[in-house]
Amino acid sequence: MTEKKKEIVANGISNGMHRAFLFSIDYDKMAGKIPSAQNYTFLNIPLADFNKYILFPRSDVAELYYCKYNMGFPYPSIFTNLVGVNIIEPNSEATKAVFHYKVELDHNLVPVHIVIGDDATVTRDKLIKEGLLKPPMTDTYEYREDIISKIEYWDGEKFVRFFPH
């Protein structure tokens, strides 16, 4: 019987990319840096050997309110066949969201579903009705697909979309 490798799955904020991230890395490969923008990287340190390194998009609500970052908060939820990451776009109080959504990923860390709560839906739909944001309405397949289509992963050389339009 072979022993299972220890794996770390964590989320956070990438200062260089101004976006929330989720990564998976084997415990014995935790040396190196994360992929980032050129001016936010450490010189002469190789990239870590991630199993998966994923960036989550900022919403149109974040763009409207000039939220510099979104973040995974508080930590990934790991279930039998899904991993859930709550993405919040904070106001001046980091734990209170202007907007938030949840990404559900399969066991290979491929996004499979976006969940948007009622409070976030009401917030965004009000902004659409006021003419500050463009449709589609929040609780629609189109809006969830817009978010999921912008999720990117590191392919070893660059960030690419899971589901390009």
Side-chain angles (χ1 to χ4, degrees):
M1 178 177 217
T2 60
E3 188 177 325
K4 278 186 139 182
K5 279 189 163 187
K6 292 184 180 184
E7 176 185 15
I8 296 172
V9 177
N11 60 260
I13 303 169
S14 169
N15 286 336
M17 303 305 288
H18 299 251
R19 293 167 62 187
F21 67 79
L22 173 79
F23 69 76
S24 162
I25 192 167
D26 294 334
Y27 182 78
D28 60 352
K29 295 181 180 177
M30 287 186 36
K33 62 184 176 184
I34 64 172
S36 190
Q38 180 104 16
N39 58 336
Y40 280 85
T41 192
F42 294 102
L43 300 176
N44 304 317
I45 297 176
L47 286 172
D49 185 14
F50 292 97
N51 299 323
K52 200 70 96 153
Y53 188 91
I54 301 167
L55 290 175
F56 299 100
R58 292 170 52 226
S59 73
D60 52 355
V61 179
E63 298 291 331
L64 177 69
Y65 286 114
Y66 305 105
C67 295
K68 187 173 181 179
Y69 305 98
N70 59 8
M71 68 175 98
F73 185 83
Y75 46 81
S77 305
I78 301 174
F79 303 101
T80 304
N81 60 351
L82 287 176
V83 175
V85 181
N86 292 309
I87 306 299
I88 68 168
E89 297 171 338
N91 62 18
S92 59
E93 295 182 52
T95 59
K96 292 190 179 175
V98 169
F99 186 77
H100 61 94
Y101 61 92
K102 180 178 183 178
V103 180
E104 295 178 339
L105 306 103
D106 68 16
H107 67 279
N108 293 314
L109 297 183
V110 174
V112 294
H113 190 63
I114 302 296
V115 178
I116 302 172
D118 290 343
D119 57 336
T121 298
V122 168
T123 297
R124 185 175 176 278
D125 288 354
K126 182 175 184 261
L127 295 169
I128 292 170
K129 290 174 185 171
E130 292 172 353
L132 297 171
L133 292 178
K134 295 178 184 174
M137 299 303 273
T138 309
D139 192 18
T140 62
Y141 173 83
E142 291 79 13
Y143 188 68
R144 288 188 300 276
E145 282 300 301
D146 182 60
I147 291 173
I148 208 167
S149 73
K150 294 175 183 171
I151 299 173
E152 299 175 316
Y153 70 95
W154 183 252
D155 73 356
E157 296 180 19
K158 63 188 178 312
F159 285 103
V160 295
R161 291 185 176 188
F162 281 95
F163 312 108
H165 269 228

